[in-house]
Amino acid sequence: ALQGVPLRLEPLGARVRTGTIRGGRRIELGDVRLGVLPILASGEVLDDAGQPIAGARVTLRCGALPSGRANEMAPLRSLATRCDEQGRFTILGEAPPAACELLAEQDQHFDATLPLQAGAPHRLVLQRAGRLRGRVLLPDWLAEGAVSLHLYPYEEARKQDTRAMRLSRRGGGRFNLDMIRPGRFQAR
């Protein structure tokens, strides 16, 4: 650095269209001009109790139309990051020419998405997953694997959250159901 001149480190990058590169084909890109990358998306990832989630992965997914269905939007792996200790993230780059959304993921949490608003701050809230553990005392006269534990949500609209597990005497009748969405359930 020059004496008396502060050193400024800014991320540089460029977007270059290459077209389809086929085997044996050579493409000359010419001069590629680097520029300071703008902030495409920034914000924070919190859990449903308002606590920051350090290390959560945030990925930009783009497609023709966001529909809410899984895998409809393709992730742009080069535009992904992890949150810092305060749950904050920044993704640098130019806005893709398609509708995009941010996807936040972390173990023991349910994913969350938000439509991308380029340059605006985003707050993604992940629901913490519940866990149900215990043991059912199985009589000796029952056939092995003849008993199942079923967990049904009270709300009819949440049928997709129904869970089931076969119990065994070999396993001591123990059960462990992970990744349960918050809500009221009935076990049978």
Side-chain angles (χ1 to χ4, degrees), residues 154-174:
Y154 278 108
E155 298 87 15
E156 187 69 26
R158 293 187 55 207
K159 273 188 172 180
Q160 74 276 7
D161 292 333
T162 298
R163 303 285 300 278
M165 179 179 181
R166 189 160 307 279
L167 303 175
S168 72
R169 280 197 311 281
R170 264 180 282 160
R174 296 194 184 287

Side-chain angles (χ1 to χ4, degrees), residues 92-185:
L92 302 173
E94 300 288 333
C100 298
E101 68 183 10
L102 292 169
L103 166 69
E105 307 167 280
Q106 181 66 352
D107 292 342
Q108 299 303 311
H109 293 78
F110 290 98
D111 300 349
T113 60
L114 272 180
L116 173 68
Q117 296 178 357
H122 297 79
R123 176 178 279 184
L124 292 119
V125 179
L126 305 184
Q127 277 190 332
R128 293 170 292 163
R131 177 179 289 165
L132 185 63
R133 292 182 177 179
R135 182 172 76 153
V136 175
L137 302 175
L138 301 172
D140 291 338
W141 53 265
L142 272 177
E144 185 65 28
V147 176
S148 295
L149 172 70
H150 294 263
L151 193 62
Y152 298 100
Y154 278 108
E155 298 87 15
E156 187 69 26
R158 293 187 55 207
K159 273 188 172 180
Q160 74 276 7
D161 292 333
T162 298
R163 303 285 300 278
M165 179 179 181
R166 189 160 307 279
L167 303 175
S168 72
R169 280 197 311 281
R170 264 180 282 160
R174 296 194 184 287
F175 60 88
N176 182 14
L177 296 172
D178 288 328
M179 294 303 293
I180 299 172
R181 288 196 182 276
R184 294 181 53 214
F185 290 86

Side-chain angles (χ1 to χ4, degrees), residues 2-150:
L2 299 173
Q3 190 171 354
V5 177
L7 182 62
R8 237 175 77 186
L9 297 176
E10 295 188 67
L12 299 176
R15 177 177 285 190
V16 179
R17 290 189 182 269
T18 62
T20 302
I21 301 174
R22 294 181 181 14
R25 183 174 175 204
R26 295 180 186 188
I27 297 175
E28 172 59 41
L29 293 179
D31 295 335
V32 176
R33 186 177 308 276
L34 295 179
V36 175
L37 293 173
I39 294 176
L40 177 58
S42 64
E44 61 186 351
V45 177
L46 307 171
D47 67 19
D48 54 293
Q51 296 301 306
I53 302 178
R57 181 174 178 79
V58 179
T59 304
L60 184 69
R61 299 193 311 178
C62 296
L65 292 172
S67 69
R69 286 186 284 169
N71 301 325
E72 180 106 357
M73 298 184 110
L76 296 177
R77 291 290 175 206
S78 61
L79 296 179
T81 190
R82 294 229 178 241
C83 292
D84 66 13
E85 292 300 314
Q86 289 78 39
R88 295 180 306 227
F89 70 90
T90 301
I91 295 177
L92 302 173
E94 300 288 333
C100 298
E101 68 183 10
L102 292 169
L103 166 69
E105 307 167 280
Q106 181 66 352
D107 292 342
Q108 299 303 311
H109 293 78
F110 290 98
D111 300 349
T113 60
L114 272 180
L116 173 68
Q117 296 178 357
H122 297 79
R123 176 178 279 184
L124 292 119
V125 179
L126 305 184
Q127 277 190 332
R128 293 170 292 163
R131 177 179 289 165
L132 185 63
R133 292 182 177 179
R135 182 172 76 153
V136 175
L137 302 175
L138 301 172
D140 291 338
W141 53 265
L142 272 177
E144 185 65 28
V147 176
S148 295
L149 172 70
H150 294 263

